[in-house]
Every structure is written in C-alpha cells, then in structure tokens.
Amino acid sequence: MNELEAKIMIDELCNQIEKHNYNYYTLSNATISDLAFDKLLNQLIALEKQFPHLQNPNSPTLKVGGSITKDFTTVKHKYPMLSLGNTYNEEDLRDFDDRIKKSIGEDFEYVCELKFDGLAISLSYENGVLVRAVTRGDGTQGDDVTNNVKTIQSIPHQLKGNNYPASFEIRGEVFMHKKTFEKLNAEYRKELEDKEIYTETQILEKLYKNPRNFASGTLKMQDSSEVAKRPLDAFLYFLNAENNVSETHFESLKLAASWGFQVSDHYKLCKNIDAVIDFIKFYETNRHDLSYEIDGIVLKVNNYLQQEDLGFTAKNPRWAISYKYKAATAVTVLEKVTYQVGRTGAITPVANLKPVQLAGTTVKRASLYNADEIERLDLHENDTVFVEKGGEIIPKIVGVDLENRNAHAIKIVYQSICPECKTELVRKEGEVIHYCPNVNYCPPQIIGAIEHFVSRRAMNIDSLGGETVAAFYKLGLIKTYADLYDLKYEQILNLSVETNEEIDDNKSKKRSIKEKSAQNIIEGIQASKAIPFERVLFALGIRMIGETVAKKLAKHFQNIDNIIAASKEQIGEIYEIGDKIAEQLTQFFSDLENVKMIEMLKQHGLKLAIEEEEGLERSNKLEGKTFLVSGTFQMSRDDLKKMIEVNGGRNIAGVSKNLNYLIAGDKMGPEKLKKATDLNINIINEQDFLNMIK
Ligand code: IVH
C-alpha cells in the first residue's frame, strides 16, 4: 500500500468508526457487531503503526469512544473510565495470559466476572452518601444522571457500616432485566399503536431492540419520574479510591457488598487460565438462565500491587481483558411461512422452523418482518436456515445455507389474501407492510379492537385480559365491544379460556373462569360506565384518534352526537386536528354499524358527553402521575381524590414504587410514611398539592 492509499484508507476507517461510536454511545443504537467494530479499529491501529505520520489528530484510536449527550451537565471523571480490550477465542486469551506472565511471573490469580450488557456508570460517594452518578461518555467526561440513577432501587443512597473510605468512586453497569424489557417493550408497542399515527414499519423501528438499548434510552431521559416507571437495576464491579481498601479486587468486591452495593454472586477466584476457560465455558451454556443479559466474561488480575506493575495502555488496563461470546446461532429447517394479523390489520410473516435449541430456549418461530425481508433472504421451501439471537429477544433468520437447497425447491411467494378472513391484502404506496383492509369483520382485528377498548388507558377493565376477550369472541358471546355490557355472570362462569402458554406442539394450556374472576369481570365492565367521555372516545379505537386527540375532540364538541353530526371541514378546522384525522372520524361514523354500536353504548349508560364537575375545572396537569391520599385534610378526602382525577392524575391504593406522590394529612399512619420515605417517594401536604394544579 502506498502512502496515498494509506491516507485514503485511514480517513475512511476514522469516519466509519466515528459513525458507529456515535450510533452506539449517543443514540444508543448499535449499527455494527462488536467483532466487526474491533476489526475496523484493529485495521486502523495497524495502519497508524505502519504510517505514524498519517495519524489523524482526532483519531478514534486515541479515545475510548463515545461522546456526550447535550441535555445533561457534563462532568469530568476523576478517574478516566477506560474500557477493556476484547478477546474472542481461547488463543487470544492465552496470549493475554502469556503477556501477564512475562511481566509479573507465574504467581498471580484472576478474578472472573460476568460482563454485564448494559451501560457503564460511575457513582461517587462522600461520607457514605451518594453524591453523583455519571455515565461513561467519552471516558474522560460523561453526563450527570444522578437523579435518574437515584430511582434505581438497588443503588444505595446511604451506605451501611463504617469502614468505607470517606470519598470514593465505584463503577458498575446499569441494566434492565429481560422480563422487564419484554413487558415494557410490549407496553410501548401498545402505546405507539394507540397513537394510530405510525405504520407497522415505523413501530418496529421505534421499539427498543434489546434490554441494553432500553436501559440506555431510560437513563438518558430528562424526567426522572419517567425513569422510575421503567425499573433498572445495577451491578457494581470496580472500586476506585485514593487508598486501596484491601489488597485485592476480590476482597474489595466483598467489602463493597457489605456496604450495601449489589455485587453479582457470579464471580470466582481462578488460579490459572485453564480455570478461567472453565468459567467461560460454564457461562457460555448457562448464561441464558440468568434474568439479565451478559455478552461475555471479564477477567482481572486480583492483586492490586500486581495490577499497578502491569499498568495501562492508552485505552485499556493491561491487567484485565474481556472475552466476548458470539451471538448464539443455530441451524434448522424452514417448515413453512405463516402470516399473523395484528390489531391494525398489519400482516407479519412468520417462519415456522423445525424446533431447535438456541440460547437456552427452543426456537420454533422467527419473525420475517415483511415481504422485502423474504425477498432479501430469497427464501425457498424447506431451506436450511441460520437462526440468530443477538441482543434481541426474538430470533431472526440471518441467512440460508444454499448448498443444502434442493435444486427443485419452490421460492416462497408472499401470500396475497388475509389468512383469517380471506380478504385481498393491500400494500400502501411507500410501505413495506401488507394490510388486511377488512377492519370490521376480520377476527383478529375485531378482537384487537375489543382488547384496546378494555385496556388500562381506555375503559380500564383490567379484569378482562386479551385471552378472555378472544375466548368470548370465539364462543360468539361478543361480536363488538358494545356486547360486553350484555354479558351475564352465568354466561361466563366456568368458561374455558385458551392461554398463550403452550403445553406441547400447537396445543395451548386452558384455564376456566372461576367465580371470583367471573364476578370481577362483570363488576369491571359495570364500573367502566363511569369512565369520562374523552376516554370512551379514545376507547372506540378510531384510527388516528389517540388520547390527546380524543381529549381535544371531547372538549370541543362536548358530546358524541355533535361529533357524529360534524362535517369533515368543521373537524379539520380545530387547532392541531387537521384533515387526515377529520377524514378518519367521518369515515368511521359514516358506517351505520358504528353508529348503531354508539347507540348501544349510550343505552348501556356509558358517558358519551362531557360532565363538568361543579366547581371543578378539568386539566391534564397531573397526567401520568399517581397519588395516595392519607390522613385528614381541610377538604374531604373524596374531594381531594376527585381533584386528582379531574386534573388527569390517578389515585392508587398503597405505597409502592409506582407511587409518585403521597399527600400526607394529619394523623396518617406512621407505617405508610416510613415506607414512602424508604422508597424515596415525594411526600407533599395539601397546600403543595393545590399549588401543583394552580
Ligand atoms: S471492569 C478498568 N467489569 O464492559 C476496567 N467492566 O469494555 C473497568 N463491563 O466499560 C471495567 N461488566 O461497561 C468491568 N464485570 C465487569 C463488567 C464490565 C461489564 C463493561 C463496562 C466497560 C466495558 C468494557
């Protein structure tokens, strides 16, 4: 390679690495695998070594990577937050071990730990009190996210014991448990769907790709009360103090745990590299049983004096390295492609696979996303496919083994009719997703509409889950959500409901509706009649009518009859409503079936007009906030609760981490107060509350 070629190559590599760094650290959205990233970086390092005078003054090889987000205060790290060198195979690991032996001899031990797949955080404690939490940023300085970190239950605000240093930093990893991720991402999907403005493709793009992604997005939120709703967790693994608290890293971890830090139980003292390799192999198979994700193992020389002898390179400690696991892959056979219909009619093709073990679970299906993906993979019937589970929870097909393809294999052709109602599918211009247009009669779309109707933010009939709704529909008990109000206790008692859980191939578990839950369902349906008009309007599930639009329409038109009678122009004129929404509304009410359904809802006594509470003005000042009213006040407790509701807040029954504000009155129970204090909940008085809604 001549000098000019080297210069061009170096510039190109710098640009690529910077771009990936920005995507990873600032946008929390990795666009390259770790392995491929390291390859780019190593290529650049090699070229810079060969042509030192061509090194870019801002070369990414001079930094640890990352940048800082603009919305938080930037804080310089007292101790730079270096990253670790990576290895991917046993040979590299043994090379690392040889380098250490050459430098400090044979007499040393390693501590092996899990490499948690989250975001690095540095916590500063002064006299046992948490004073600051900073993200890694570019390694030299990061974002001050103290308020957000304070919402993490496992991070102590005040340390236990008395043998901690007066001032020190501790590093760890903030992460989200896999189950939490799945639950919150599903809720987030629902929220996006409810806005009725996103296409399925946009929703897939917006959803968090993996728990690390979600944890990172959460920690960078500006509103810490929002952060508190998305439970994060943290493991601490590295202590930094002026004077070491012990002679070894292993002892320091034990001490840190005794001060109240959450230190993972999965760490081990290893006498030599063979023991390290055993540790690696053990977690290679068992890592999938953990409730959180790890992407490798970290090994650290245990003794601090030996660590000092080994020292650092510009970017990494020489006494520690990580071993990264490869993304779990499996080879299996594509049995058939089926098509799922979503609540909005969006069709998702699904690959049905010969069951195969992958990352601790049996994989039978993989999402194929859309027609373009099938085309990209050039899928044929009975293809042998490679399935991968990266950070993502849902496995995906990453390639086809062409050598194993039968010469006469038939190409998979995207289905042209809806698998549920046989209506011809449509693909809108510029969209990659196919839709079933049969909104009113396609079963999954009807069930989806009813599920939306009963959902928490709509009619809040939480005794009725999706499985039960589907069972009622399939048994012919309900055809629309209006039919819910005709259901009788005797009709639903002992009904058998298919659950989403599978017992064996294609057979799902069943449960029957017992007395208590039958009663809860009927009571929940009756109670929903008190839900205010704006939420009933949202519950109708009209496309593009999300919560905010529903509120605006309710306020403007006061009742459903005015909305039905309004012309497209009259609706479109309302500030921030616009023609598209007006079109959807008039289209919905031009269907006589829908008008009939509204009539039924009216007869059942649902609120289809705004009800102004006397003397109480509505607002959404408390939207998304939860309250607990406890003790006695100047005004009656019921009035206080009503004020919370008319201002968009929610009353909840007890002190839990879901509570945002405890309104404390006279003579409130000391237990409640203590629990709220322990959970760091905002405790306010009557006047503070009145100021909030002023
Ligand atoms: S030790 C000076 N231990 O991996 C060394 N890091 O590229 C400090 N990580 O930035 C890091 N688990 O975010 C260490 N048990 C563990 C870890 C760990 C995850 C992350 C950390 C670090 C990155 C290294």
Side-chain angles (χ1 to χ4, degrees):
M1 185 180 292
N2 67 32
E3 202 152 297
L4 182 64
E5 284 167 341
K7 174 86 184 99
I8 294 171
M9 191 76 186
I10 286 177
D11 284 349
E12 173 61 23
L13 285 166
C14 284
N15 283 340
Q16 280 193 35
I17 293 168
E18 286 294 2
K19 189 184 80 199
H20 292 306
N21 265 343
Y22 177 78
N23 290 342
Y24 184 87
Y25 289 105
T26 309
L27 303 183
S28 309
N29 186 15
T31 41
I32 188 171
S33 72
D34 290 340
L35 187 65
F37 181 85
D38 284 349
K39 261 196 192 148
L40 290 180
L41 199 66
N42 288 335
Q43 232 177 317
L44 182 60
I45 293 171
L47 275 174
E48 286 178 350
K49 211 167 170 185
Q50 201 184 340
F51 302 96
H53 56 290
L54 293 183
Q55 189 181 44
N56 199 319
N58 292 321
S59 169
T61 58
L62 301 170
K63 298 193 275 181
V64 258
S67 60
I68 306 126
T69 338
K70 61 179 187 309
D71 307 322
F72 292 95
T73 312
T74 304
V75 179
K76 196 166 167 3
H77 296 299
K78 186 168 174 194
Y79 307 95
M81 287 181 79
L82 298 179
S83 68
L84 297 172
N86 295 325
T87 57
Y88 296 93
N89 54 49
E90 205 177 307
E91 198 188 333
D92 291 350
L93 211 56
R94 290 192 186 275
D95 284 349
F96 169 78
D97 185 53
D98 288 341
R99 285 200 296 278
I100 294 194
K101 283 180 185 151
K102 256 192 208 138
S103 183
I104 59 167
E106 306 258 334
D107 188 16
F108 68 93
E109 287 175 323
Y110 288 115
V111 177
C112 273
E113 296 167 21
L114 305 182
K115 186 168 185 325
F116 309 105
D117 197 9
L119 304 88
I121 195 85
S122 168
L123 309 176
S124 302
Y125 283 81
E126 302 288 342
N127 300 316
V129 176
L130 171 66
V131 290
R132 200 171 308 109
V134 185
T135 62
R136 175 156 165 260
D138 63 4
T140 314
Q141 48 187 13
D143 293 328
D144 184 333
V145 287
T146 313
N147 287 340
N148 289 351
V149 162
K150 279 187 176 169
T151 67
I152 302 175
Q153 301 287 327
S154 58
I155 292 186
H157 295 189
Q158 166 72 58
L159 299 183
K160 293 193 286 193
N162 53 14
N163 58 344
Y164 43 76
S167 170
F168 71 97
E169 281 185 17
I170 188 162
R171 269 182 72 169
E173 204 81 355
V174 171
F175 64 92
M176 187 179 270
H177 288 275
K178 289 189 274 196
K179 281 255 150 59
T180 315
F181 165 74
E182 282 167 48
K183 182 170 164 271
L184 293 184
N185 222 19
E187 279 175 19
Y188 185 42
R189 167 183 264 282
K190 176 108 212 337
E191 221 172 277
L192 293 172
E193 283 178 352
D194 284 348
K195 285 200 164 63
E196 301 274 4
I197 50 170
Y198 298 118
T199 62
E200 179 66 15
T201 323
Q202 286 169 324
I203 290 177
L204 289 176
E205 272 166 14
K206 279 181 179 292
L207 284 178
Y208 292 97
K209 301 290 172 292
N210 50 51
R212 181 177 51 71
N213 210 246
F214 209 141
S216 163
T218 303
L219 206 60
K220 290 186 176 170
M221 290 172 88
Q222 295 293 316
D223 180 353
S224 49
S225 68
E226 284 301 311
V227 178
K229 289 185 201 151
R230 302 163 158 210
L232 297 173
D233 207 344
F235 282 126
L236 285 307
Y237 49 63
F238 183 63
L239 202 67
N240 246 331
E242 219 53 67
N243 300 308
N244 285 331
V245 291
S246 69
E247 286 177 8
T248 64
H249 173 62
F250 192 77
E251 285 307 318
S252 296
L253 287 181
K254 294 222 138 85
L255 278 169
S258 76
W259 303 330
F261 289 112
Q262 177 163 259
V263 174
S264 155
D265 291 333
H266 304 272
Y267 65 102
K268 196 176 173 195
L269 212 47
C270 292
K271 296 258 176 258
N272 53 41
I273 199 72
D274 289 325
V276 170
I277 289 165
D278 286 347
F279 186 90
I280 288 174
K281 285 194 176 141
F282 179 80
Y283 283 100
E284 180 137 40
T285 36
N286 292 295
R287 65 180 163 135
H288 306 295
D289 299 335
L290 299 167
S291 67
Y292 45 86
E293 295 203 329
I294 63 166
D295 59 343
I297 295 296
V298 178
L299 50 150
K300 301 172 182 169
V301 169
N302 188 26
N303 187 288
Y304 284 138
L305 289 177
Q306 288 176 326
Q307 285 189 4
E308 255 172 58
D309 281 352
L310 287 158
F312 296 85
T313 69
K315 292 196 319 152
N316 311 125
R318 285 203 183 86
W319 43 264
I321 203 155
S322 78
Y323 176 93
K324 291 245 191 151
Y325 292 128
K326 290 188 192 66
T329 53
V331 183
T332 187
V333 174
L334 172 71
E335 290 186 330
K336 61 177 175 192
V337 175
T338 52
Y339 297 82
Q340 277 175 359
V341 189
R343 137 171 134 75
T344 54
I347 308 289
T348 313
V350 178
N352 291 246
L353 307 166
K354 185 162 175 262
V356 63
Q357 279 300 114
L358 175 65
T361 48
T362 310
V363 173
K364 295 181 203 159
R365 287 177 209 97
S367 171
L368 286 168
Y369 306 103
N370 51 52
D372 288 1
E373 177 72 357
I374 296 179
E375 199 52 44
R376 190 185 69 78
L377 291 164
D378 186 28
L379 277 187
H380 283 57
E381 282 178 9
N382 290 315
D383 263 349
T384 301
V385 292
F386 302 108
V387 188
E388 192 166 286
K389 227 183 201 180
E392 278 111 272
I393 302 282
I394 306 161
K396 62 177 175 203
I397 295 182
V398 288
V400 176
D401 183 356
L402 291 178
E403 284 184 8
N404 262 323
R405 178 178 288 164
N406 184 323
H408 306 292
I410 302 169
K411 196 171 153 67
I412 304 273
V413 180
Y414 201 87
Q415 170 137 334
S416 62
I417 54 167
C418 173
E420 300 279 345
C421 70
K422 312 292 176 232
T423 304
E424 189 150 344
L425 300 180
V426 290
R427 183 173 172 169
K428 292 174 204 154
E429 224 185 285
E431 267 271 334
V432 288
I433 298 278
H434 285 74
Y435 286 89
C436 165
N438 187 16
V439 183
N440 281 352
Y441 300 100
C442 179
Q445 297 191 60
I446 301 170
I447 294 172
I450 304 174
E451 279 175 0
H452 168 74
F453 183 83
V454 302
S455 67
R456 187 172 53 83
R457 299 204 324 274
M459 302 303 281
N460 193 23
I461 311 176
D462 61 359
S463 47
L464 249 183
E467 293 162 350
T468 319
V469 166
F472 289 175
Y473 175 80
K474 284 178 190 155
L475 288 163
L477 289 177
I478 52 174
K479 288 201 180 64
T480 70
Y481 37 70
D483 298 333
L484 286 171
Y485 296 90
D486 287 322
L487 283 176
K488 303 271 172 312
Y489 174 83
E490 301 73 34
Q491 273 179 303
I492 62 170
L493 183 65
N494 297 328
L495 274 190
S496 166
V497 174
E498 242 178 56
T499 70
N500 291 328
E501 238 177 289
E502 273 184 27
I503 25 180
D504 52 47
D505 282 359
N506 302 326
K507 270 212 183 131
S508 44
K509 226 172 160 175
K510 293 201 170 168
R511 63 174 164 79
S512 74
I513 300 178
K514 303 265 158 34
E515 286 158 15
K516 181 87 189 124
S517 53
Q519 195 181 333
N520 285 343
I521 291 172
I522 300 294
E523 280 174 11
I525 293 172
Q526 291 311 314
S528 77
K529 292 180 181 171
I531 293 286
F533 173 47
E534 62 205 35
R535 278 173 60 188
V536 180
L537 193 54
F538 166 64
L540 298 181
I542 306 168
R543 295 215 80 178
M544 298 180 81
I545 312 298
E547 283 167 292
T548 324
V549 174
K551 255 183 211 156
K552 276 207 178 97
L553 290 169
K555 201 165 175 196
H556 185 90
F557 288 106
Q558 300 283 307
N559 63 47
I560 197 83
D561 294 330
N562 289 343
I563 299 183
I564 297 174
S567 69
K568 214 193 289 184
E569 290 68 34
Q570 282 170 322
I571 302 170
E573 272 166 12
I574 305 170
Y575 180 63
E576 282 180 336
I577 295 281
D579 294 345
K580 281 198 177 141
I581 295 175
E583 167 80 39
Q584 294 292 343
L585 263 179
T586 42
Q587 197 180 319
F588 184 86
F589 291 116
S590 66
D591 185 335
L592 282 183
E593 292 288 324
N594 290 336
V595 179
K596 253 198 254 164
M597 198 159 60
I598 299 289
E599 217 28 65
M600 280 166 72
L601 293 178
K602 219 188 251 176
Q603 277 166 21
H604 284 299
L606 272 74
K607 292 204 187 314
L608 289 163
I610 280 251
E611 254 183 15
E612 282 303 342
E613 304 282 344
E614 237 180 286
L616 289 179
E617 216 182 301
R618 284 186 180 275
S619 87
N620 49 13
K621 287 188 180 137
L622 307 179
E623 195 168 278
K625 305 265 186 297
T626 56
F627 293 83
L628 176 67
V629 177
S630 182
T632 56
F633 303 88
Q634 297 264 327
M635 68 174 97
S636 85
R637 269 220 308 245
D638 281 347
D639 281 352
L640 204 49
K641 283 186 180 171
K642 196 159 267 165
M643 281 176 100
I644 291 169
E645 270 167 19
V646 297
N647 285 288
R650 220 156 39 91
N651 289 294
I652 61 175
V655 181
S656 75
K657 57 181 191 303
N658 297 330
L659 178 65
N660 300 126
Y661 294 95
L662 172 68
I663 311 183
D666 290 339
K667 303 192 200 110
M668 79 167 285
E671 271 303 300
K672 256 188 203 152
L673 199 58
K674 175 163 185 316
K675 197 165 171 202
T677 317
D678 289 348
L679 288 174
N680 210 17
I681 282 159
N682 292 308
I683 301 172
I684 57 173
N685 62 27
E686 192 173 357
Q687 192 51 50
D688 298 332
F689 170 74
L690 293 173
N691 289 341
M692 283 173 85
I693 55 170
K694 230 188 220 160

